[in-house]
Amino acid sequence: MQIFNRILSVMGCFFPYALAGISAPFIFKYAPTPLDGGHWAGGLFVFAQVWALYLVFSHDYKFPVKLFFVLTFPLNTLFWAWRFFNTIPINEVRFLGMSGGAWHGMLTGLYLIGGVALIVSEVIASKVKLISTT
């Protein structure tokens, strides 16, 4: 039963982060315009970063994971804030010397790496808690 509770705990911590990635395809499918979809999806991805920062500092995560999210948060927030006020399609713009598509691809990759890092870190943190309390 402890393993089941641990899995539920890990998934409960991961779900708010994963919500952005799960929701994005549906947001873009049902949004009135791609720009509106980008605003909603971007907001969720910024929320995912805030949630990740909360987890890494409130749970016992290793320093490299903390550093990863501390470095990716400003990139993510800067990009989505810039996109919020920019009406040009993402594939037609450049930001800090990179195309919008390259930024999107890089941030998607960082989001996926972050998801794996959160799951692994939460499993390790919950395992440590179980060992120290039994």
Side-chain angles (χ1 to χ4, degrees):
M1 192 62 160
Q2 278 185 336
I3 190 75
F4 181 71
N5 289 339
R6 209 164 96 204
I7 290 169
L8 283 178
S9 174
V10 169
M11 296 316 291
C13 288
F14 177 68
F15 182 75
Y17 182 84
L19 186 62
I22 293 167
S23 300
F26 299 104
I27 290 171
F28 280 101
K29 182 176 181 178
Y30 295 107
T33 67
L35 184 63
D36 289 335
H39 290 164
W40 283 99
L44 283 175
F45 283 106
V46 171
F47 166 76
Q49 288 289 312
V50 171
W51 177 253
L53 285 173
Y54 165 75
L55 286 178
V56 300
F57 286 106
S58 66
H59 295 189
D60 190 25
Y61 288 10
K62 302 293 184 199
F63 177 76
V65 177
K66 290 178 181 179
L67 182 63
F68 174 82
F69 284 106
V70 165
L71 294 176
T72 58
F73 177 71
L75 286 175
N76 193 350
T77 305
L78 181 66
F79 178 76
W80 288 115
W82 172 74
R83 283 302 300 154
F84 189 82
F85 296 106
N86 193 322
T87 59
I88 301 169
I90 195 167
N91 290 329
E92 297 177 18
V93 295
R94 296 189 69 74
F95 183 63
L96 299 176
M98 289 173 50
S99 71
W103 270 98
H104 189 273
M106 178 185 70
L107 290 173
T108 299
L110 291 173
Y111 171 79
L112 294 172
I113 291 167
V116 171
L118 286 178
I119 290 173
V120 169
S121 296
E122 192 61 31
V123 166
I124 291 169
S126 69
K127 191 175 191 176
V128 169
K129 288 177 191 171
L130 281 176
I131 291 171
S132 65
T133 59
T134 55

